Amino acid sequence: MKLKTNALIAVATSFLLGSVAMAEQDKHDHDHEHAHEHAISGPNGGRVLHDVDPHAELFVTKDRKIQITFLDAEGKAVAPGNQSISVICGKRSSPTRMSFAKEGSSFLSDKALPAGMNIPTVVQIKMTPDGKKETIKLNLNLEECPTCDFLEYACTCEHDKEDE
């Protein structure tokens, strides 16, 4: 009788663990698909930051400066308001600290990115002077994507990316 009970417990445990594993796989598949749901580029070809509302596009200019453009619900640029932006990037031992000023319909960094093609970056945005500061951590991979027209940091493809 004890052997039969132990066998039943083993079968029930296996079934339960299999169900949990399948549920986790389903959850993973959903999360993965959801991550690509927002894989659109901004009006300048940069990466759309969904962590702030309104959303903002982070774009690296030809002179390696960072341009931040806030977007309306249709993804079009809106005039800058009272937002404040700061960025810290590069090596921890010698970080590059950037501040931003309004330029046209965007904010532009005062400094260029440090040397390299894969730059750890922390963006901090305050939508209003007394608002909460949103912190966005990302890796600016400036390599060309082999399958689309964007650099890897702004890539809209569904291939595996190192920084995600």
Side-chain angles (χ1 to χ4, degrees):
M1 179 73 171
K2 188 173 185 176
L3 184 60
K4 202 179 231 186
T5 303
N6 287 343
L8 280 173
I9 290 172
V11 168
T13 302
S14 295
F15 178 77
L16 186 61
L17 290 176
S19 297
V20 169
M22 287 174 59
E24 283 300 311
Q25 180 62 37
D26 288 345
K27 179 181 174 207
H28 172 74
D29 288 344
H30 171 74
D31 290 344
H32 183 71
E33 290 168 13
H34 182 71
H36 291 294
E37 180 179 303
H38 298 297
I40 58 168
S41 68
N44 299 300
R47 179 177 181 157
V48 177
L49 305 174
H50 296 275
D51 302 294
V52 292
D53 191 23
H55 298 323
E57 176 194 34
L58 182 149
F59 176 72
V60 178
T61 65
K62 290 184 188 217
D63 57 353
R64 294 178 60 98
K65 289 188 175 185
I66 294 179
Q67 176 181 299
I68 303 284
T69 305
F70 289 94
L71 309 172
D72 64 15
E74 287 80 41
K76 307 272 190 233
V78 296
N82 292 327
Q83 300 96 335
S84 62
I85 304 166
S86 63
V87 168
I88 299 172
C89 58
K91 296 179 182 176
R92 286 183 181 222
S93 59
S94 60
T96 299
R97 298 178 190 278
M98 301 175 177
S99 58
F100 288 75
K102 293 178 188 177
E103 186 166 304
S105 62
S106 302
F107 289 87
L108 188 64
S109 66
D110 61 339
K111 297 177 185 158
L113 290 167
M117 297 300 280
N118 223 346
I119 305 163
T121 304
V122 177
V123 179
Q124 294 185 323
I125 300 175
K126 268 178 95 170
M127 297 306 286
T128 61
D130 57 343
K132 179 183 175 227
K133 186 184 296 185
E134 292 292 332
T135 301
I136 305 160
K137 296 178 182 180
L138 56 115
N139 197 37
L140 286 179
N141 183 344
L142 303 177
E143 300 283 341
E144 289 186 20
C145 174
T147 55
C148 74
D149 295 333
F150 302 108
L151 296 180
E152 284 290 342
Y153 81 91
C155 173
T156 58
C157 299
E158 293 192 22
H159 61 81
D160 292 333
K161 298 177 193 173
E162 290 178 20
D163 62 331
E164 293 189 65

